[in-house]
Amino acid sequence: MPSRNPELLAFPEPDESPHAGQERLTAEVLRTYVRLLRDEIMPLALQDRFIAEADALAPGAPFQVHELDSTHINSRIPPEGAARAQAEAASGLC
């Protein structure tokens, strides 16, 4: 789904920067990103950009990416999907 505001992809706000706090990440830090497939607030292209840019800044600690067929609104995220993503992320801690 194309973004309703294409400029959003080019100019994230400073507090939305994928670079914030990423300078010292190592492989010891488990990072998980839950990609929301029907998100109209943060389009897939922007989610993918954030993932790629953050991974480029911390090549030793790439995101484990999980996908949910959901929107950005919490009340619409299926609890079983969110629980599955959390369980998969936590399994990497053992």
Side-chain angles (χ1 to χ4, degrees), residues 10 22-23 29 36 38 71 88 92 94:
Q22 306 266 335
E23 298 84 7
V29 177
L36 300 175
R38 291 186 287 135
T71 65
E88 290 171 4
C94 301

Short mmCIF file of all heavy atoms in Angstrom, two decimals, residues 10 22-23 29 36 38 71 88 92 94:
data_model
loop_
_atom_site.label_atom_id
_atom_site.label_comp_id
_atom_site.label_asym_id
_atom_site.label_seq_id
_atom_site.Cartn_x
_atom_site.Cartn_y
_atom_site.Cartn_z
N ALA A 10 11.21 10.40 3.42
CA ALA A 10 12.45 11.14 3.23
C ALA A 10 12.87 11.92 4.46
O ALA A 10 14.06 12.19 4.64
CB ALA A 10 12.30 12.09 2.05
N GLN A 22 22.17 3.73 18.55
CA GLN A 22 22.58 2.48 17.92
C GLN A 22 24.11 2.35 17.78
O GLN A 22 24.59 1.32 17.33
CB GLN A 22 21.98 2.40 16.51
CG GLN A 22 20.49 2.58 16.48
CD GLN A 22 19.76 1.27 16.52
OE1 GLN A 22 20.28 0.27 16.14
NE2 GLN A 22 18.54 1.30 17.01
N GLU A 23 24.86 3.37 18.15
CA GLU A 23 26.28 3.40 17.84
C GLU A 23 27.08 2.28 18.48
O GLU A 23 28.08 1.83 17.93
CB GLU A 23 26.89 4.75 18.25
CG GLU A 23 26.29 5.94 17.53
CD GLU A 23 25.00 6.45 18.18
OE1 GLU A 23 24.63 5.96 19.26
OE2 GLU A 23 24.36 7.31 17.57
N VAL A 29 23.59 -7.83 21.98
CA VAL A 29 22.30 -7.18 22.14
C VAL A 29 21.31 -7.80 21.16
O VAL A 29 21.50 -7.72 19.95
CB VAL A 29 22.40 -5.66 21.90
CG1 VAL A 29 21.04 -5.00 22.00
CG2 VAL A 29 23.38 -5.03 22.87
N LEU A 36 4.62 -4.55 10.89
CA LEU A 36 3.16 -4.62 10.82
C LEU A 36 2.73 -4.46 9.37
O LEU A 36 2.90 -3.40 8.76
CB LEU A 36 2.54 -3.53 11.70
CG LEU A 36 2.91 -3.64 13.18
CD1 LEU A 36 2.35 -2.45 13.96
CD2 LEU A 36 2.43 -4.95 13.78
N ARG A 38 -0.10 -4.29 7.74
CA ARG A 38 -1.20 -3.42 7.30
C ARG A 38 -1.14 -2.05 7.96
O ARG A 38 -2.15 -1.35 8.08
CB ARG A 38 -2.55 -4.10 7.59
CG ARG A 38 -2.76 -5.32 6.70
CD ARG A 38 -4.14 -5.94 6.86
NE ARG A 38 -4.24 -6.63 8.14
CZ ARG A 38 -5.29 -6.53 8.96
NH1 ARG A 38 -6.31 -5.78 8.66
NH2 ARG A 38 -5.31 -7.21 10.08
N THR A 71 -2.49 -3.81 11.87
CA THR A 71 -2.29 -2.37 11.74
C THR A 71 -1.44 -1.88 12.90
O THR A 71 -1.01 -2.66 13.75
CB THR A 71 -3.65 -1.64 11.77
OG1 THR A 71 -4.23 -1.84 13.07
CG2 THR A 71 -4.58 -2.15 10.70
N GLU A 88 9.08 -15.93 20.05
CA GLU A 88 10.17 -16.20 19.12
C GLU A 88 11.39 -15.35 19.45
O GLU A 88 12.52 -15.83 19.41
CB GLU A 88 9.71 -15.96 17.68
CG GLU A 88 8.72 -16.98 17.18
CD GLU A 88 8.11 -16.60 15.83
OE1 GLU A 88 8.50 -15.58 15.25
OE2 GLU A 88 7.24 -17.36 15.37
N GLY A 92 15.54 -16.61 21.44
CA GLY A 92 16.92 -16.28 21.09
C GLY A 92 17.76 -15.93 22.30
O GLY A 92 18.98 -15.81 22.20
N CYS A 94 17.94 -17.80 25.05
CA CYS A 94 18.39 -19.01 25.76
C CYS A 94 19.66 -19.57 25.17
O CYS A 94 20.03 -19.39 24.11
CB CYS A 94 17.31 -20.08 25.69
SG CYS A 94 15.77 -19.52 26.44
#
